[in-house]
Each structure stands twice: as structure tokens, then as C-alpha cells.
Amino acid sequence: MSVPKPGQKPATAARPSSSHRSDDPASGRRAPGVDGSRPFGAHVRMSWWKPLVVLVVPPVVMVLLQILLYQVVGVIEGSDDPMSATFTPLKLLAVNLSVGISGVVAILLLARLAKVPWRGLISSPRAFDGRRLAQYLLGAALLVGAGIGVVALVAPESPGWVAFGVSGTTILMLVITVLSTPLQSVGEELMFRSAVLPAAASWVRAVRPALAVGLVVSSLAFAVVHGSSDPWLFGYYTFIGAATGLMAIISRGIEAPAAFHIANNVLFSSVNTLMADGEAYTIDRSTDTGDGALLILAAVNIAMVVLVWVRERRTRITT
């Protein structure tokens, strides 16, 4: 038996102290966990079948919750068609709550399946940064506001606006939009950028291909969940998914995509409400409802990705 020399640690002390699980060379299998050495979006490792659960279960929960809440709203409002595309204040609240809850389900599900702390799915390897969120929220609001202004000047008929009008319905819709739409926006980010992106990326070991797979799968899943049969709209939702996924990867967390999503949804919902002539507005995602004006909004997404890249690059240089 050999005795360690002075200053030499025993062999057992050479084991890594990290809480992340490592590979098992003897078995050739990858152990589950968060790998802090890999970029956000490709940092989760799990068995091949578990990402399929993450892809399927949260959207199903979202649809079932929305149907259930729509029925409750129908009873409260005395509606003959609670599943209609027209948004009343209570239906807007039902949608926002169903998406927000499903986002929480998605992240808790992935945390359980991958045996990782849920905080590691919000940002990694750094901690969540509220200051980042606030800064990106301000920048996103300016960019989205500019995009809405350009649409109003170039293609005012594209969003289906009727006329400016304020009524009791308008005020109630605005209140619910401001209070609950951020929950819906964060819910979608939790579902697709915190859960689906890293889950799908875990199918591939090499970092860049893994990120590519995660981006493609999460973007297409995001578009499918929005249920549009229009090529323009489906393409635009896919593009949003890719852009927000890039924001998450570049910034190593979901503060930037969440901020952009909140600003986009709150501002557009507010403008749609104010331009509905005092009535509840309708969201129509059927065929032939999208057009080239969506390219303006796509440019806003690109501008936000550039903003995130510049801000994160500057932060890393100064630190």
C-alpha cells in the first residue's frame, strides 16, 4: 500500500466536486444533468426518449386547460360559442393563464426528467439576472413600438385594425393585457426556450449540431402550437422561435427572449384592443390571413437579436 507524500492528496480526493453528473466511460453512456461547460441550449443531458415527453405533454396540458377555461368563461358570459375566435376579456385571461401554467409544467417536467435544478433551465452557467431582463425589456419595447409604427404607416390594413375606440370592454381588455399577458409570454419562453430547446438539443453531442437541432425543433414546435394554416404566419412564428432561441443562446438565459416576448405581446395586444372600435378583437390565423407586412416584424426580431449580441459581447469584454 502506497502512502501519499506530504502535500499529495489521496486518490479519492481527486474526484470532481461539481454537482453536475459526468460521463461514465466504462458504460459509454452519458449521465443526465446540466453541463456548465456547454452553452445554454445545449447544456442538458438526458435519455433520448425524454425530450419526446417534453415536446408532447406541455402543449397537451395547454390545450386541455384552454378548452376547460373557455367552457367556464362560456358559462359566466352565457355564450353559445365559447370556442369562437373573438377575444372577450375573460377569454383573453383564460388563454394567458393556460399558457403560463403550461410553461411552468414544462420546466418542472424537464427538471424532473433530466434530474436538474429548474434554475439551470432559466439561465446557465450564470444566475438569473433581473437587471438584464429590465434592460432588454426597455430595448424590446422601443424596437417593437417602432415596428408597430412602421406597420401603421406602410400596411395599416394588415393587422385587421378597425378604428380607434375606447369603451368599458376596451379598458377591461387593457387591464387584463397588462396584468396577464406577461405571464403568457413568459410561459411560452419557459415551454419552448427553457424546455424544448435544450431537451431537443440533448439528442446530439457535438455543440453546434446540438444547438441547430434544438433551434429547429423548438421553432417548429412553437409555430405548430400557434395553429396557423397560413404560410406567411406559420413562417413568421417559426422565425420568431428561431430568433428568440438565438437570444437565449447568446445571452445564456431567457431574460432577453422573455423581455422581447413580453414587449411584443403586450404592445400588440394593447394596440389591437385600442383599434377594435371599442369592441373585442378577433385573431384569425386561417389561410390567407398573413401577408408581406410580416417582414417588417421579422426585421424587428433581427434587430433584437443584434441588440442582444452587442450587449452580451460588451458585457463579456468589460468583465
Side-chain angles (χ1 to χ4, degrees):
M1 180 178 70
S2 61
V3 179
K5 296 179 181 179
Q8 179 181 356
K9 295 182 180 179
T12 54
R15 295 177 182 175
S17 60
S18 171
S19 60
H20 303 317
R21 301 191 180 193
S22 59
D23 292 345
D24 181 359
S27 65
R29 293 180 298 178
R30 293 180 299 170
V34 170
D35 188 343
S37 66
R38 291 165 67 87
F40 183 87
H43 62 303
V44 175
R45 311 177 70 179
M46 54 201 287
S47 301
W48 68 268
W49 60 270
K50 292 180 179 179
L52 299 176
V53 179
V54 178
L55 270 169
V56 173
V57 172
V60 170
V61 171
M62 181 188 70
V63 171
L64 293 178
L65 270 176
Q66 189 168 318
I67 292 173
L68 175 63
L69 292 175
Y70 266 26
Q71 299 305 315
V72 173
V73 169
V75 171
I76 295 173
E77 295 180 341
S79 173
D80 294 330
D81 185 14
M83 301 301 294
S84 68
T86 301
F87 274 95
T88 64
L90 288 179
K91 286 178 71 174
L92 177 62
L93 179 61
V95 169
N96 291 343
L97 289 178
S98 65
V99 178
I101 293 171
S102 300
V104 174
V105 169
I107 196 172
L108 293 180
L109 179 63
L110 179 56
R112 180 63 180 270
L113 290 174
K115 297 181 175 63
V116 299
W118 63 267
R119 290 181 180 84
L121 303 176
I122 301 295
S123 59
S124 178
R126 61 173 180 78
F128 176 82
D129 188 352
R131 184 178 179 182
R132 251 187 183 87
L133 178 64
Q135 290 176 341
Y136 283 132
L137 186 59
L138 176 60
L142 294 174
L143 290 174
V144 173
I148 293 174
V150 174
V151 170
L153 290 173
V154 176
E157 71 287 345
S158 179
W161 295 331
V162 180
F164 178 82
V166 177
S167 66
T169 298
T170 304
I171 294 174
L172 188 53
M173 287 284 286
L174 289 174
V175 170
I176 291 177
T177 295
V178 172
L179 294 180
S180 68
T181 296
L183 299 177
Q184 176 264 341
S185 303
V186 172
E188 288 191 332
E189 291 308 310
L190 292 176
M191 197 183 311
F192 295 102
R193 260 58 73 181
S194 285
V196 175
L197 172 60
S202 71
W203 281 324
V204 182
R205 176 55 185 161
V207 171
R208 290 184 179 179
L211 291 174
V213 169
L215 281 172
V216 169
V217 173
S218 61
S219 301
L220 290 175
F222 181 74
V224 168
V225 164
H226 280 78
S228 176
S229 58
D230 180 79
W232 277 103
L233 285 173
F234 187 89
Y236 176 62
Y237 287 128
T238 304
F239 188 80
I240 291 178
T244 49
L246 285 172
M247 294 175 206
I249 293 168
I250 294 169
S251 63
R252 300 169 295 157
I254 68 163
E255 296 95 336
F260 179 75
H261 212 139
I262 291 171
N264 185 79
N265 289 10
V266 169
L267 289 177
F268 265 102
S269 295
S270 298
V271 172
N272 288 340
T273 298
L274 290 170
M275 296 301 294
D277 198 21
E279 302 293 332
Y281 62 86
T282 300
I283 292 183
D284 186 3
R285 294 172 179 158
S286 59
T287 305
D288 297 328
T289 53
D291 55 33
L294 291 171
L295 295 176
I296 299 171
L297 306 183
V300 173
N301 282 260
I302 294 173
M304 185 66 188
V305 172
V306 172
L307 172 65
V308 173
W309 182 81
V310 171
R311 193 268 185 195
E312 294 299 325
R313 184 171 181 271
R314 184 176 301 165
T315 299
R316 291 175 189 177
I317 290 175
T318 55
T319 56

